[in-house]
Amino acid sequence: ELKVEQNPLFLSMQEGKNYTIYCNYSTTSDRLYWYRQDPGKSLESLFVLLSNGAVKQEGRLMASLDTKARLSTLHITAAVHDLSATYFCAVQETSGSRLTFGEGTQLTVNP
Amino acid sequence: NAGVMQNPRHLVRRRGQEARLRCSPMKGHSHVYWYRQLPEEGLKFMVYLQKENIIDESGMPKERFSAEFPKEGPSILRIQQVVRGDSAAYFCASSPNRIGYFNEKLFFGSGTQLSVL
């Protein structure tokens, strides 16, 4: 059974600081997704990482994928309050047809 | 192009009643996924459907839960004889093709918050 683990689960940081969220998964996959969820809202797609070494950037967020290490990172640069949300990674098994989600990282950016 | 539409947004049921959750996928999307989210937890896969067919229901509880996606109309997640443990947010997501085809991603609805009294 595919397991997806994120850490940290809770992250409180100050505006202007950098930090990284980690997503580890247990079986072969070459496709990983990052989503953002605001309280009481739905999930918004941030990134789709399709191959080993893939790196994508959007604003202050950058995601990368290392399929050999079964690890993805979401790096936050110079955080701002608007980035406060819960971030989920989700992994699709190579032969699967569904996404398995991590527990989520609840990010709070303090002014 | 409207997004994935779920209704109702909030549903309150007493123990033993039935809950029916509806999901209309985005226009042109024929693949629907249902996920459940418990408080402070990630999303757990329940079922994957393609028009008129259940493709993967491995995440569905064996009893009381059923799902359908008819040729016409929305996808329905039905929970019979609800219990307090069914209280959760239920999210529907859709895609034009199955996940894994090219660079498809899921588009999520706003969810239905089910509360069982």
Side-chain angles (χ1 to χ4, degrees):
Chain A
E1 180 187 339
L2 173 59
K3 292 196 186 306
V4 181
E5 294 183 345
Q6 288 181 235
N7 73 84
L9 298 183
F10 299 93
L11 177 55
S12 181
M13 55 192 297
Q14 286 186 308
E15 281 191 328
K17 298 291 186 183
N18 304 334
Y19 211 84
T20 300
I21 299 171
Y22 297 89
C23 174
N24 292 273
Y25 54 95
S26 61
T27 64
T28 303
S29 172
D30 57 3
R31 194 170 296 253
L32 189 138
Y33 303 76
W34 284 97
Y35 283 88
R36 168 183 172 145
Q37 185 182 36
D38 290 293
K41 300 293 178 68
S42 185
L43 281 80
E44 173 192 353
S45 176
L46 295 174
F47 301 109
V48 181
L49 301 169
L50 298 176
S51 61
N52 186 40
V55 177
K56 290 196 174 179
Q57 183 164 3
E58 180 75 33
R60 300 174 188 274
L61 301 178
M62 183 173 71
S64 66
L65 177 62
D66 181 344
T67 58
K68 290 185 173 61
R70 297 179 182 169
L71 171 69
S72 179
T73 60
L74 181 66
H75 187 71
I76 304 154
T77 301
V80 293
H81 180 67
D82 286 352
L83 290 179
S84 297
T86 299
Y87 292 84
F88 291 96
C89 66
V91 176
Q92 180 199 350
E93 291 182 65
T94 301
S95 59
S97 59
R98 60 177 176 173
L99 299 185
T100 299
F101 282 79
E103 312 98 313
T105 296
Q106 187 174 319
L107 171 65
T108 303
V109 181
N110 302 304
Chain B
N1 186 8
V4 179
M5 304 299 292
Q6 288 189 250
N7 67 83
R9 286 297 310 274
H10 301 276
L11 181 61
V12 179
R13 286 287 179 264
R14 297 190 181 280
R15 281 179 296 171
Q17 291 185 318
E18 178 179 289
R20 292 170 69 88
L21 288 63
R22 293 175 184 77
C23 169
S24 295
M26 287 180 69
K27 187 176 180 181
H29 288 194
S30 58
H31 298 250
V32 166
Y33 300 75
W34 284 94
Y35 283 81
R36 174 164 65 176
Q37 184 178 35
L38 294 169
E40 309 288 329
E41 292 187 14
L43 281 77
K44 303 296 184 189
F45 169 80
M46 299 184 74
V47 62
Y48 162 40
L49 310 102
Q50 190 183 357
K51 277 291 185 181
E52 300 185 88
N53 294 303
I54 296 175
I55 308 299
D56 181 354
E57 59 180 347
S58 58
M60 288 272 272
K62 292 286 185 282
E63 298 178 349
R64 303 187 297 109
F65 285 72
S66 63
E68 63 177 9
F69 188 15
K71 186 177 180 181
E72 302 290 339
S75 175
I76 306 287
L77 179 67
R78 182 182 177 206
I79 312 172
Q80 295 178 290
Q81 299 175 321
V82 296
V83 300
R84 289 220 173 101
D86 296 333
S87 296
Y90 291 82
F91 287 96
C92 165
S94 74
S95 63
N97 293 290
R98 67 168 181 82
I99 286 293
Y101 180 79
F102 196 47
N103 63 345
E104 293 297 355
K105 60 183 179 182
L106 295 182
F107 294 83
F108 280 83
S110 299
T112 293
Q113 180 65 51
L114 173 65
S115 299
V116 180
L117 304 179

